[in-house]
Amino acid sequence: MLPLALSRGISANSVSVAGLCLGGGAALAYSQWGNWALALVGLVLSMGWLIADGLDGMVARATKTASPLGRMLDGLCDHGVFALIYISLAVTIDTPESWILAVAAGGAHAVQSNMYEGERSRFHRRVRGVALEAPPVATGNALVRFYDSVASSIDRIAMPFERALGQSADPVALGAVYGARAVAPLRLMALLTANVRVWAIFVACFAGNPRIFWWFEIVPLTLVAIVGLVWHRRVERAFVRNTSATRPKTASRMHLS
């Protein structure tokens, strides 16, 4: 769909908003989750939103129109779609328990998604041998700055590895070795993608109990996020320790020569 969007001059922000509309339609369909046909409509509309969610970034890169506002809009549309679905499901059940679960699942989802997107982009940059010189500086208005500061929080924690990569004699080779070791935690964290949640919502509604999805979001996916983050940081620390251990030996050989 990228050539079609480019030929018609459709902006990335317009695609994001269209995705939000599709997601809103999915939320309306899921408000009748007791009807399996409407639950299926919700799944189809959710898939349409997934396409728009991927297309907006492709349009932004192809047209070189990426911006802090666009990143925030993309994030808000992403979280907003799920918020609408959570609310529609909670309204249909309408018990204190359902609202507590919906709010808790929404909060867990926001944190998990931000963490995974940061980990994924960090991984792909590093395997190309590109180190981050410094944590990103938040720009734009107060809301954009807050969003960027939260999204880049792990960057500050991961800076020791970034420095090791940047100081490496062959960062591309180091990035390749890092990628081979870090791909396992990233594959685990791929369970945090929107694709998994879209199917989990449909399965829970088709089974006749949306609470299944909320508990799936709160417990198993939170464990996946924690394990993936800790695992990835352990991979980084191993490289930093190895780099620190080899530097004194190299310096000693240079001194003796």
Side-chain angles (χ1 to χ4, degrees):
M1 296 184 66
L2 179 60
L4 178 63
L6 296 177
S7 66
R8 293 181 178 273
I10 300 174
S11 69
N13 290 348
S14 297
V15 176
S16 296
V17 173
L20 181 59
C21 293
L22 288 169
L28 287 175
Y30 277 127
S31 67
Q32 303 295 323
W33 54 266
N35 184 326
W36 70 266
L38 287 176
L40 185 59
V41 170
L43 174 63
V44 172
L45 291 174
S46 297
M47 288 180 172
W49 162 75
L50 284 176
I51 294 172
D53 188 49
L55 182 62
D56 58 3
M58 296 172 67
V59 171
R61 288 188 293 272
T63 58
K64 295 181 172 53
T65 55
S67 66
L69 177 61
R71 290 196 303 272
M72 185 191 72
L73 181 60
D74 181 49
L76 288 176
C77 289
D78 183 358
H79 302 319
V81 166
F82 282 105
L84 289 173
I85 293 176
Y86 294 170
I87 291 171
S88 70
L89 295 177
V91 167
T92 61
I93 301 175
D94 199 22
T95 64
E97 175 220 11
S98 67
W99 284 106
I100 292 172
L101 285 176
V103 171
H109 172 199
V111 173
Q112 294 162 8
S113 294
N114 281 334
M115 287 182 174
Y116 172 67
E117 286 303 317
E119 294 290 271
R120 185 173 64 89
S121 61
R122 193 174 297 112
F123 172 83
H124 287 293
R125 171 176 50 76
R126 289 169 170 177
V127 296
R128 299 194 306 270
V130 179
L132 185 69
E133 295 182 0
V137 178
T139 59
N141 60 48
L143 185 58
V144 173
R145 290 199 303 273
F146 174 76
Y147 181 84
D148 282 347
S149 64
V150 172
S152 63
S153 59
I154 301 298
D155 282 317
R156 294 187 286 273
I157 300 173
M159 280 309 296
F161 177 84
E162 301 291 353
R163 287 190 289 269
L165 180 63
Q167 295 168 3
S168 172
D170 190 347
V172 174
L174 179 58
V177 177
Y178 153 82
R181 298 182 185 178
V183 69
L186 265 295
R187 283 176 177 166
L188 173 66
M189 294 187 74
L191 292 172
L192 302 176
T193 60
N195 304 45
V196 173
R197 291 185 176 91
V198 162
W199 279 102
I201 291 170
F202 171 72
V203 169
C205 290
F206 193 76
N209 189 356
R211 296 177 183 85
I212 296 173
F213 167 69
W214 289 328
W215 282 114
F216 174 71
E217 178 73 72
I218 294 168
V219 181
L221 291 188
T222 297
L223 290 176
V224 166
I226 293 172
V227 172
L229 284 171
V230 172
W231 192 356
H232 197 183
R233 300 290 83 77
R234 289 185 64 182
V235 171
E236 293 172 352
R237 286 196 297 272
F239 275 96
V240 172
R241 284 196 300 268
N242 290 340
T243 302
S244 300
T246 56
R247 280 177 187 166
K249 296 179 182 179
T250 303
S252 298
R253 285 195 297 269
M254 292 176 63
H255 179 72
L256 290 174
S257 62

